[in-house]
Amino acid sequence: MNTTAMKILLALERHGELTLEEISKLIPKRHGDHRDFYVLASLIKRGLVDDPWMPDEKINQSSGQSSKEQLLAWKLYAMSSAEGTASYKNHHYAIHGNGETLKGQIFSISGVGEIAISESRTKRFDRAFTIGSGILIGIAVALAAVLIERYAKGF
């Protein structure tokens, strides 16, 4: 998982919930358009992040409507700094309600996201343990070889 995706997941894990505006501040602005939001769109599509308006994937599949990551990235980009209405590439988004804003929509980490973070931490520990064990075994073998050589010369 790339570092931006992990940064978003860790921030969501730490805070529990973040608004779209807060998440957009975590995303590096390399392109300055919707392409920057593909990371977040991918996290949502993979089920690692729960969003407030994406219908369940089963509902999407049964109705024949498949939400593409590209459309989701457009939506996230348009909404990331908008108050009540936004439009991008001939798509229009609006929110109505008492004090609601598009950029204030709340995202949270899903159970699958928690598992992904846990697996990542476990893999990191396993790698460090394997490297550390390898180094210690190498040192032990080198010391044993030196000791064997010294005692073999004595006989």
Side-chain angles (χ1 to χ4, degrees), residues 42-69:
S42 178
L43 289 173
I44 292 169
K45 286 293 289 178
R46 290 176 57 197
L48 300 172
V49 172
D50 285 332
D51 67 336
W53 18 256
M54 190 81 159
D56 189 3
E57 201 60 36
K58 293 175 186 171
I59 295 169
N60 266 352
Q61 289 172 354
S62 66
S63 67
Q65 297 175 350
S66 176
S67 179
K68 295 176 68 174
E69 279 186 39

Tab-separated table of all heavy atoms in Angstrom, residues 42-69:
chain	number	residue	atom	x	y	z
A	42	SER	N	-9.823	4.751	-4.325
A	42	SER	CA	-9.449	3.341	-4.276
A	42	SER	C	-9.682	2.750	-2.892
A	42	SER	O	-10.169	1.622	-2.760
A	42	SER	CB	-7.984	3.185	-4.680
A	42	SER	OG	-7.592	1.832	-4.603
A	43	LEU	N	-9.342	3.496	-1.856
A	43	LEU	CA	-9.582	3.017	-0.491
A	43	LEU	C	-11.074	2.788	-0.238
A	43	LEU	O	-11.462	1.818	0.411
A	43	LEU	CB	-9.024	4.012	0.531
A	43	LEU	CG	-7.506	4.117	0.639
A	43	LEU	CD1	-7.112	5.269	1.562
A	43	LEU	CD2	-6.903	2.811	1.118
A	44	ILE	N	-11.904	3.669	-0.766
A	44	ILE	CA	-13.351	3.539	-0.600
A	44	ILE	C	-13.861	2.340	-1.389
A	44	ILE	O	-14.616	1.518	-0.872
A	44	ILE	CB	-14.068	4.833	-1.028
A	44	ILE	CG1	-13.727	5.961	-0.051
A	44	ILE	CG2	-15.583	4.628	-1.104
A	44	ILE	CD1	-14.149	7.337	-0.517
A	45	LYS	N	-13.436	2.209	-2.635
A	45	LYS	CA	-13.896	1.107	-3.488
A	45	LYS	C	-13.462	-0.252	-2.944
A	45	LYS	O	-14.182	-1.233	-3.075
A	45	LYS	CB	-13.378	1.271	-4.917
A	45	LYS	CG	-14.065	2.333	-5.723
A	45	LYS	CD	-15.501	1.973	-6.017
A	45	LYS	CE	-15.540	0.837	-7.013
A	45	LYS	NZ	-16.874	0.389	-7.323
A	46	ARG	N	-12.280	-0.315	-2.337
A	46	ARG	CA	-11.788	-1.576	-1.769
A	46	ARG	C	-12.439	-1.885	-0.429
A	46	ARG	O	-12.232	-2.952	0.130
A	46	ARG	CB	-10.277	-1.518	-1.608
A	46	ARG	CG	-9.550	-1.534	-2.945
A	46	ARG	CD	-8.072	-1.372	-2.829
A	46	ARG	NE	-7.486	-2.395	-1.971
A	46	ARG	CZ	-6.283	-2.299	-1.439
A	46	ARG	NH1	-5.537	-1.239	-1.680
A	46	ARG	NH2	-5.812	-3.256	-0.684
A	47	GLY	N	-13.202	-0.948	0.111
A	47	GLY	CA	-13.901	-1.180	1.363
A	47	GLY	C	-13.066	-0.900	2.596
A	47	GLY	O	-13.443	-1.280	3.700
A	48	LEU	N	-11.930	-0.215	2.434
A	48	LEU	CA	-11.072	0.101	3.572
A	48	LEU	C	-11.543	1.356	4.308
A	48	LEU	O	-11.248	1.536	5.480
A	48	LEU	CB	-9.621	0.282	3.106
A	48	LEU	CG	-8.991	-0.944	2.435
A	48	LEU	CD1	-7.640	-0.596	1.832
A	48	LEU	CD2	-8.859	-2.080	3.416
A	49	VAL	N	-12.250	2.220	3.596
A	49	VAL	CA	-12.782	3.454	4.174
A	49	VAL	C	-14.278	3.501	3.882
A	49	VAL	O	-14.702	3.244	2.761
A	49	VAL	CB	-12.075	4.694	3.574
A	49	VAL	CG1	-12.748	5.977	4.015
A	49	VAL	CG2	-10.608	4.706	3.941
A	50	ASP	N	-15.056	3.817	4.919
A	50	ASP	CA	-16.502	3.986	4.752
A	50	ASP	C	-16.813	5.454	4.514
A	50	ASP	O	-16.284	6.318	5.201
A	50	ASP	CB	-17.245	3.521	6.011
A	50	ASP	CG	-17.287	2.009	6.131
A	50	ASP	OD1	-17.242	1.331	5.093
A	50	ASP	OD2	-17.371	1.518	7.269
A	51	ASP	N	-17.647	5.696	3.525
A	51	ASP	CA	-18.060	7.071	3.232
A	51	ASP	C	-19.545	7.229	3.523
A	51	ASP	O	-20.256	6.246	3.664
A	51	ASP	CB	-17.722	7.441	1.793
A	51	ASP	CG	-18.531	6.662	0.788
A	51	ASP	OD1	-18.995	5.566	1.124
A	51	ASP	OD2	-18.706	7.137	-0.332
A	52	PRO	N	-20.021	8.454	3.619
A	52	PRO	CA	-21.408	8.666	4.042
A	52	PRO	C	-22.458	8.484	2.954
A	52	PRO	O	-23.643	8.439	3.262
A	52	PRO	CB	-21.400	10.117	4.533
A	52	PRO	CG	-20.308	10.765	3.765
A	52	PRO	CD	-19.269	9.702	3.545
A	53	TRP	N	-22.079	8.363	1.675
A	53	TRP	CA	-23.111	8.343	0.644
A	53	TRP	C	-22.930	7.261	-0.391
A	53	TRP	O	-23.700	7.164	-1.312
A	53	TRP	CB	-23.206	9.672	-0.087
A	53	TRP	CG	-22.039	10.578	0.047
A	53	TRP	CD1	-21.985	11.685	0.818
A	53	TRP	CD2	-20.753	10.463	-0.552
A	53	TRP	NE1	-20.741	12.259	0.732
A	53	TRP	CE2	-19.967	11.534	-0.113
A	53	TRP	CE3	-20.176	9.550	-1.418
A	53	TRP	CZ2	-18.649	11.725	-0.497
A	53	TRP	CZ3	-18.857	9.735	-1.811
A	53	TRP	CH2	-18.119	10.812	-1.349
A	54	MET	N	-21.962	6.427	-0.288
A	54	MET	CA	-21.768	5.363	-1.264
A	54	MET	C	-22.674	4.186	-0.886
A	54	MET	O	-22.529	3.633	0.200
A	54	MET	CB	-20.306	4.919	-1.250
A	54	MET	CG	-19.963	4.005	-2.364
A	54	MET	SD	-19.675	5.023	-3.790
A	54	MET	CE	-18.730	3.908	-4.756
A	55	PRO	N	-23.597	3.800	-1.768
A	55	PRO	CA	-24.466	2.670	-1.425
A	55	PRO	C	-23.655	1.378	-1.355
A	55	PRO	O	-22.571	1.278	-1.925
A	55	PRO	CB	-25.479	2.614	-2.563
A	55	PRO	CG	-24.987	3.510	-3.615
A	55	PRO	CD	-23.915	4.371	-3.047
A	56	ASP	N	-24.216	0.415	-0.661
A	56	ASP	CA	-23.565	-0.878	-0.524
A	56	ASP	C	-23.296	-1.458	-1.909
A	56	ASP	O	-24.119	-1.359	-2.811
A	56	ASP	CB	-24.471	-1.807	0.285
A	56	ASP	CG	-23.789	-3.094	0.666
A	56	ASP	OD1	-22.596	-3.254	0.366
A	56	ASP	OD2	-24.462	-3.940	1.290
A	57	GLU	N	-22.153	-2.111	-2.083
A	57	GLU	CA	-21.741	-2.660	-3.377
A	57	GLU	C	-22.748	-3.675	-3.891
A	57	GLU	O	-22.979	-3.776	-5.086
A	57	GLU	CB	-20.346	-3.304	-3.246
A	57	GLU	CG	-19.617	-3.450	-4.537
A	57	GLU	CD	-19.358	-2.138	-5.262
A	57	GLU	OE1	-19.098	-1.123	-4.628
A	57	GLU	OE2	-19.439	-2.139	-6.506
A	58	LYS	N	-23.393	-4.427	-3.007
A	58	LYS	CA	-24.391	-5.409	-3.422
A	58	LYS	C	-25.573	-4.714	-4.085
A	58	LYS	O	-26.121	-5.195	-5.058
A	58	LYS	CB	-24.860	-6.233	-2.227
A	58	LYS	CG	-23.784	-7.123	-1.675
A	58	LYS	CD	-24.266	-7.826	-0.437
A	58	LYS	CE	-23.109	-8.600	0.193
A	58	LYS	NZ	-23.445	-9.121	1.493
A	59	ILE	N	-25.953	-3.571	-3.537
A	59	ILE	CA	-27.055	-2.803	-4.116
A	59	ILE	C	-26.646	-2.313	-5.502
A	59	ILE	O	-27.402	-2.388	-6.455
A	59	ILE	CB	-27.445	-1.616	-3.215
A	59	ILE	CG1	-27.989	-2.133	-1.889
A	59	ILE	CG2	-28.449	-0.713	-3.894
A	59	ILE	CD1	-28.165	-1.069	-0.835
A	60	ASN	N	-25.406	-1.808	-5.627
A	60	ASN	CA	-24.909	-1.341	-6.913
A	60	ASN	C	-24.923	-2.448	-7.955
A	60	ASN	O	-25.335	-2.250	-9.081
A	60	ASN	CB	-23.465	-0.835	-6.779
A	60	ASN	CG	-23.400	0.648	-6.552
A	60	ASN	OD1	-24.404	1.321	-6.638
A	60	ASN	ND2	-22.217	1.141	-6.261
A	61	GLN	N	-24.467	-3.641	-7.586
A	61	GLN	CA	-24.378	-4.737	-8.542
A	61	GLN	C	-25.765	-5.212	-8.949
A	61	GLN	O	-26.001	-5.526	-10.104
A	61	GLN	CB	-23.568	-5.886	-7.948
A	61	GLN	CG	-22.104	-5.556	-7.832
A	61	GLN	CD	-21.322	-6.618	-7.072
A	61	GLN	OE1	-21.883	-7.555	-6.531
A	61	GLN	NE2	-20.012	-6.445	-7.050
A	62	SER	N	-26.692	-5.263	-7.985
A	62	SER	CA	-28.029	-5.753	-8.306
A	62	SER	C	-28.788	-4.768	-9.198
A	62	SER	O	-29.612	-5.177	-9.994
A	62	SER	CB	-28.820	-6.025	-7.024
A	62	SER	OG	-29.050	-4.815	-6.334
A	63	SER	N	-28.483	-3.486	-9.072
A	63	SER	CA	-29.191	-2.506	-9.899
A	63	SER	C	-28.479	-2.285	-11.232
A	63	SER	O	-28.956	-1.534	-12.057
A	63	SER	CB	-29.319	-1.175	-9.158
A	63	SER	OG	-28.036	-0.593	-8.992
A	64	GLY	N	-27.334	-2.922	-11.426
A	64	GLY	CA	-26.602	-2.783	-12.676
A	64	GLY	C	-25.767	-1.526	-12.741
A	64	GLY	O	-25.189	-1.217	-13.761
A	65	GLN	N	-25.689	-0.773	-11.646
A	65	GLN	CA	-24.901	0.450	-11.631
A	65	GLN	C	-23.590	0.181	-10.919
A	65	GLN	O	-23.565	-0.176	-9.760
A	65	GLN	CB	-25.641	1.558	-10.900
A	65	GLN	CG	-26.926	1.951	-11.546
A	65	GLN	CD	-27.669	2.964	-10.703
A	65	GLN	OE1	-27.310	3.224	-9.572
A	65	GLN	NE2	-28.721	3.523	-11.263
A	66	SER	N	-22.523	0.326	-11.639
A	66	SER	CA	-21.210	0.133	-11.039
A	66	SER	C	-20.519	1.484	-10.950
A	66	SER	O	-20.315	2.147	-11.951
A	66	SER	CB	-20.389	-0.832	-11.899
A	66	SER	OG	-19.096	-0.953	-11.370
A	67	SER	N	-20.195	1.894	-9.748
A	67	SER	CA	-19.541	3.175	-9.558
A	67	SER	C	-18.058	3.022	-9.863
A	67	SER	O	-17.383	2.203	-9.258
A	67	SER	CB	-19.742	3.649	-8.125
A	67	SER	OG	-19.095	4.873	-7.935
A	68	LYS	N	-17.575	3.790	-10.804
A	68	LYS	CA	-16.174	3.714	-11.191
A	68	LYS	C	-15.333	4.586	-10.267
A	68	LYS	O	-15.802	5.594	-9.765
A	68	LYS	CB	-16.020	4.189	-12.632
A	68	LYS	CG	-16.723	3.300	-13.641
A	68	LYS	CD	-16.610	3.875	-15.027
A	68	LYS	CE	-15.177	3.795	-15.478
A	68	LYS	NZ	-14.957	4.199	-16.851
A	69	GLU	N	-14.087	4.163	-10.081
A	69	GLU	CA	-13.174	4.958	-9.265
A	69	GLU	C	-12.982	6.345	-9.864
A	69	GLU	O	-12.835	7.312	-9.127
A	69	GLU	CB	-11.824	4.252	-9.152
A	69	GLU	CG	-11.809	3.175	-8.108
A	69	GLU	CD	-10.434	2.590	-7.902
A	69	GLU	OE1	-9.441	3.338	-7.932
A	69	GLU	OE2	-10.361	1.374	-7.708
